[in-house]
Amino acid sequence: GILTLVLCSCSAQPASLPWDLPAISDWEHQGGLVFIHTESSLYSLPCSPIEMEVADPTYRWVQDRATPKLFSVTKEGHLLFQHFQAGDSGKYSCTISYMKHGVPVSQTFHYSIFGYHVLGGLDAVLLFHSKLCEDERTKRFLWGLQNKLRQLEMEQHFKLQLTATFCFPSLNNPSDEFIIQVQLEVSLFGPHWDEHCNSQDMEMVTDCYRKTVRHNL
């Protein structure tokens, strides 16, 4: 089969920030769009799109959703996503609070986070020769096969889904030989596929995509 991999990169420069305004206001900034691949093993999003040097800041992340959710935040204020899922998409905001010239200051940064998945995969068919076509024997065989495939999944960081099995007489010797056919769907991006990627560097992530596709194909 032919796998077509299309990567789109969207980026924008953050708006200039009013650092020289009097430290008596709460400021709001639009941080922009953030795209995170589903099943990313670890993605960290900084509170501010640019580095800020302030003393003893505190961070507060919230998401615009009906059901409150607990977040994992580093001491530097980075929001951590582990095994990012499409349901984690949404609007997020982070407020950084600190003191400036004895006056409390807070700045809020807003982000729109979208989960995406690179479409593409393989349909695989495995054929095995057998002397018998009994249900119990076939079930035991498939159970052992699935265990071996699960080990392969963990080693190669892709996903395998068994979709169908058939057992039928062979054409060469229909009275004494059978064929067990196993159909699989293969997704090239499984859990931890990006464990060696730097998710903040688009060039490295793109290169990691290419290596993952080549390796798993």
Side-chain angles (χ1 to χ4, degrees), residues 107-124:
Q107 298 187 58
T108 301
F109 301 89
H110 299 277
Y111 300 93
S112 294
I113 298 179
F114 296 93
Y116 72 98
H117 180 62
V118 176
L119 297 178
L122 300 173
D123 292 319

Side-chain angles (χ1 to χ4, degrees), residues 31-176:
L33 303 178
V34 178
F35 296 91
I36 305 177
H37 190 280
T38 57
E39 298 292 353
S40 289
S41 54
L42 185 62
Y43 187 98
S44 66
L45 179 64
C47 181
S48 168
I50 63 174
E51 187 173 350
M52 297 175 57
E53 295 184 2
V54 296
D56 301 321
T58 60
Y59 304 93
R60 180 174 179 266
W61 282 91
V62 295
Q63 184 182 9
D64 183 16
R65 61 186 300 172
T67 305
K69 181 179 179 181
L70 294 177
F71 298 112
S72 178
V73 180
T74 69
K75 63 180 181 180
E76 295 83 12
H78 290 213
L79 178 63
L80 292 180
F81 291 101
Q82 296 187 12
H83 308 300
F84 187 90
Q85 300 296 319
D88 294 322
S89 300
K91 295 185 180 298
Y92 290 75
S93 62
C94 178
T95 299
I96 176 172
S97 302
Y98 55 96
M99 300 293 293
K100 184 174 183 180
H101 306 306
V103 178
V105 179
S106 67
Q107 298 187 58
T108 301
F109 301 89
H110 299 277
Y111 300 93
S112 294
I113 298 179
F114 296 93
Y116 72 98
H117 180 62
V118 176
L119 297 178
L122 300 173
D123 292 319
V125 177
L126 309 180
L127 300 178
F128 300 92
H129 294 265
S130 176
K131 292 293 184 182
L132 297 173
C133 200
E134 298 174 352
D135 286 345
E136 288 302 318
R137 182 182 178 90
T138 302
K139 286 180 182 178
R140 289 196 300 271
F141 167 74
L142 292 175
W143 182 83
L145 176 64
Q146 285 182 308
N147 282 341
K148 294 181 183 298
L149 292 177
R150 293 294 171 264
Q151 295 174 14
L152 192 62
E153 279 184 309
M154 291 186 290
E155 294 170 2
Q156 306 300 336
H157 306 301
F158 59 75
K159 285 184 176 180
L160 292 169
Q161 179 66 44
L162 194 152
T163 57
T165 59
F166 305 95
C167 186
F168 49 86
S170 70
L171 294 177
N172 295 331
N173 190 3
S175 62
D176 196 35

Side-chain angles (χ1 to χ4, degrees), residues 5 7 35-37 40 43 116 118 189 193-194 196-212:
L5 181 63
L7 294 177
F35 296 91
I36 305 177
H37 190 280
S40 289
Y43 187 98
Y116 72 98
V118 176
F189 300 95
W193 71 268
D194 62 340
H196 300 301
C197 302
N198 181 351
S199 59
Q200 301 300 317
D201 187 327
M202 179 55 69
E203 184 176 349
M204 290 187 68
V205 170
T206 303
D207 184 59
C208 195
Y209 271 120
R210 296 192 183 108
K211 289 180 179 178
T212 299

